[in-house]
């Protein structure tokens, strides 16, 4: 079981045994009751959207935009096709929660998408699944077959006259497709290059039709909101930060994995659930919301709680809830070098500041890491980030710049030491011991 | 060019999209073609283009944009190791080095017997299982410590 722990869980409650993902098991846990009720009572679309608004569910993919508000942007009465699309292209380094939601509770996503489609008059949906998690893609297809056979998808859902069908689409290795308009381009059979906005997908989305895109966990939360009521969901978290959330914790902890906790839970509590720091070492820094979110020094992180507002106050972002933990064996230059390589590799190449800028960021951090740094390199890095940020079509340029800016802000001395002494502040054998890989060999 | 089984699978993918949006199946069709042929030659790309009614260059754009398509022949098994930060912190880079040493090759190289091609990959969305690696784009291998790697290599005959 990969959900390693929870406090007052909703999304992962009762996920026991190998068959938890099956339709029969989901129904036993109360699954599809919300959809049945909505269809049987012919609940109005406004009522459904209002319930989601009341829950203060904020987008779980990283941006944290209020879901109910997003749904209200859809031109529901617009004649013609409309789409709901699920973003399961989970490739933000540190994030692996959607994989487990689809692995253990795929029907919660299917039900959430069907409810969303009902609320926004959409008749067709796609779930875009990260290409690297192939077993998850095939399992989701099986779950779709189960739902279709039970009359929960397709024509005339449960005899209500409402039509909605849902299909799985797989990615094949492109981080940028997690950006919603790149994802739409990708479903349309093209290179995944983001579109200029506006127009937003709600007016010009998939195949040019009105489209709403939400993250897997966002859709997966919908049935629980409808069953328990929006207010109950909100109260499970804290004001302006409704509900529980899955946190993926990775790096230097004893039990990396997924944990579901109420928003507002202290970071220290999550760290304890994850078995504490590996080898009892000291927390040096933490990336709280996936690789694109600014790094926070360890002591500051220890006093943060896990919600959008608290992390934002500490100068970072809750993002996707991917908490990357780094202890004192980490060389911050090497850590940043790897992240910078990632953004360089994954820039789609459409905008010059990002295409060229991410290359420069990597090139400079790489030469610092390899003892060839120059005294003005740190200022040069700052300058390159300033020339990328805000000058690109999508957020990848910003995402590449924020780690650089924050690593330099909080760990500048370590970068300066590297340039001056042409070596790491943290000795290589200490770094190697930190990963624990070769220890397993002895 | 492709077996009836592959064509059936491609037809199932085409049926997922509106009738006038056949090109939406291009990613799946290329993945299926690659699964059958081992890699995507110009002929395979052109075949997919004709089958879906797309210009070959549009299919080539897709094939060259996404990392998991292989445009050159490679070993029987492609082993892609994640070395991104979360994996690195738990031994992803070390696992890559260990594999290079064991196989006597570097990244983007194939063992002389044509058995294994080693690749460095980006985040696979499984950081909690670090170090992770994928065999032939399909099989994810979790918690790959030296012992697990030895076992995997013995299995990939």
């Amino acid at each position: 079981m990969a959900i390693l722990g929870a406090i007052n869980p909703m999304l992962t409650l009762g996920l026991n045994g190998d068959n938890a993902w099956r339709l029969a098991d989901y129904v036993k846990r109360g699954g599809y009751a919300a959809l049945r009720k909505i269809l049987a009572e012919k609940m109005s679309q406004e009522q459904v959207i209002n319930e989601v608004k009341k829950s203060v569910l904020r987008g779980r993919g990283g941006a944290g935009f209020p879901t109910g508000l997003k749904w209200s942007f859809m031109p529901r009465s617009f004649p013609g096709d409309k789409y709901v699309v699920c973003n399961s292209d989970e490739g933000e380094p540190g994030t692996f929660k959607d994989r487990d939601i689809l692995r253990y509770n795929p029907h919660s996503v299917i039900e959430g998408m069907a409810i969303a489609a009902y609320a926004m008059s959409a008749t067709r949906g796609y779930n875009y699944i990260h290409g690297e998690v192939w077993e998850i893609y095939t399992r989701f297809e099986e779950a779709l077959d189960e739902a279709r056979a039970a009359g929960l998808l397709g024509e005339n859902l449960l005899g209500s006259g409402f039509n909605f069908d849902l299909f799985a689409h797989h990615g094949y290795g492109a981080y940028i497709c997690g950006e919603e308009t790149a994802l739409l381009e990708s479903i349309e059979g093209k290179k995944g290059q983001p579109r200029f906005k506006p127009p937003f997908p709600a007016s010009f989305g998939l195949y040019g039709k009105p489209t709403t895109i939400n993250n897997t966990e966002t859709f997966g939360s919908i049935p629980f909101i409808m069953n328990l009521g929006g207010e109950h969901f909100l109260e499970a978290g804290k004001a302006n930060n409704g509900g529980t959330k899955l946190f993926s914790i990775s790096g230097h902890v004893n039990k990396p994995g997924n944990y579901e906790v109420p928003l507002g839970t202290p970071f220290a509590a999550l760290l304890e659930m994850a078995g504490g720091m590996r080898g009892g070492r000291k927390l040096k820094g933490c990336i709280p919301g996936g690789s694109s979110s600014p790094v926070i020094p360890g002591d500051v992180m220890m006093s943060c709680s896990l919600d959008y507002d608290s992390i934002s106050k500490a100068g970072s972002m809750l993002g996707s809830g991917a908490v990357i933990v780094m202890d004192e064996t980490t060389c911050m230059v090497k850590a940043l070098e790897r992240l910078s390589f990632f953004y360089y590799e994954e820039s789609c190449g459409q905008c010059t500041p990002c295409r060229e800028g991410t290359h420069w960021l990597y090139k400079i951090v790489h030469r610092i890491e390899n003892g060839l740094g120059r005294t003005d390199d740190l200022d040069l890095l700052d300058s390159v980030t300033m020339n990328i940020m805000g000058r690109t079509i999508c957020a990848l340029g910003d995402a590449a710049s924020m780690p650089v800016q924050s690593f330099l802000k909080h760990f500048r001395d370590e970068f300066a030491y590297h340039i001056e002494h042409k070596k790491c502040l943290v000795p290589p054998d200490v770094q190697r011991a930190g990963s624990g890989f070769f220890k397993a060999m002895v | 060019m492709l077996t009836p089984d592959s064509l059936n699978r491609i037809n199932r993918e085409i049926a997922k999209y509106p009738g006038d949006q056949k090109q939406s199946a291009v990613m799946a069709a290329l993945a299926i073609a690659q699964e059958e042929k081992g890699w995507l030659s110009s002929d395979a790309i052109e075949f997919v283009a004709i089958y879906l009614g797309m210009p070959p260059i549009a299919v080539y754009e897709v094939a060259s944009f996404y990392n998991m398509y292989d445009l050159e022949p490679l070993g029987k098994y492609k082993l892609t190791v994640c070395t991104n930060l979360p994996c690195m912190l738990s031994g992803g880079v070390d696992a890559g080095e260990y594999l290079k040493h064991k196989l006597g090759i570097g990244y983007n190289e194939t063992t002389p017997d044509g058995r294994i091609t080693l690749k460095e990959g980006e985040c696979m969305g499984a950081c909690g299982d670090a170090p992770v690696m994928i065999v032939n784009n399909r099989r994810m291998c979790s918690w790959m410590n030296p012992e697990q790697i030895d076992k995997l290599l013995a299995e990939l005959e």
Side-chain angles (χ1 to χ4, degrees), chain B residues 87-123:
Chain B
C87 268
M88 182 175 107
L89 296 172
S90 292
V93 173
D94 301 327
E97 294 306 313
Y98 183 72
L99 274 165
K100 284 181 193 171
H101 172 76
K102 278 242 136 177
L103 298 170
I105 54 172
Y107 286 129
N108 300 315
E109 289 178 0
T110 302
T111 52
D113 59 1
R115 195 164 64 97
I116 293 175
T117 301
L118 193 59
K119 294 255 182 189
E120 186 175 22
E122 287 302 345
C123 185

Side-chain angles (χ1 to χ4, degrees), chain A residues 94 96 99 124 126 134 137 141 168-169 172-173 186-188 190 192 207 252 278 338 342 346 435 441, chain B residues 16-17 21 23-24 27 65-69 83-84 89-90 94 122-123 125 127-129 138 144 146:
Chain A
F96 47 93
R99 172 182 182 230
R124 207 180 251 266
Y126 293 97
W134 196 260
Y137 172 74
E141 296 239 282
H169 182 108
Y172 229 54
S186 184
I187 297 181
E188 291 183 2
K190 302 176 204 157
Y207 308 125
H252 292 142
R278 197 185 291 159
R338 188 59 187 86
F342 169 68
E346 297 295 335
S435 86
M441 269 178 88
Chain B
K16 291 178 178 178
Y17 307 96
Q21 302 291 351
Q23 82 286 348
S24 282
M27 291 182 70
F65 185 84
Y66 298 89
N67 294 338
M68 289 164 72
Y69 297 116
T83 58
N84 208 312
L89 296 172
S90 292
D94 301 327
E122 287 302 345
C123 185
C127 326
D129 300 2
R138 292 290 180 270
M144 298 303 284

Side-chain angles (χ1 to χ4, degrees), chain A residues 140-210:
Chain A
F140 192 75
E141 296 239 282
E142 262 192 79
L144 287 175
D145 288 342
E146 283 186 325
R148 230 172 258 132
L152 296 159
L153 285 177
E155 301 274 306
N156 191 17
L157 247 70
L158 301 168
S160 65
F162 168 61
N163 305 325
F164 175 65
D165 213 345
L166 176 59
F167 305 92
H169 182 108
H170 66 73
Y172 229 54
Y175 168 67
I176 191 59
C177 290
E179 197 280 342
E180 59 179 11
T181 59
L183 185 150
L184 296 179
E185 290 284 300
S186 184
I187 297 181
E188 291 183 2
K190 302 176 204 157
K191 288 184 288 185
Q193 292 191 317
R195 298 175 182 169
F196 195 82
K197 293 187 272 190
F200 290 93
S203 50
F204 190 93
L206 185 60
Y207 308 125
K209 307 289 184 194

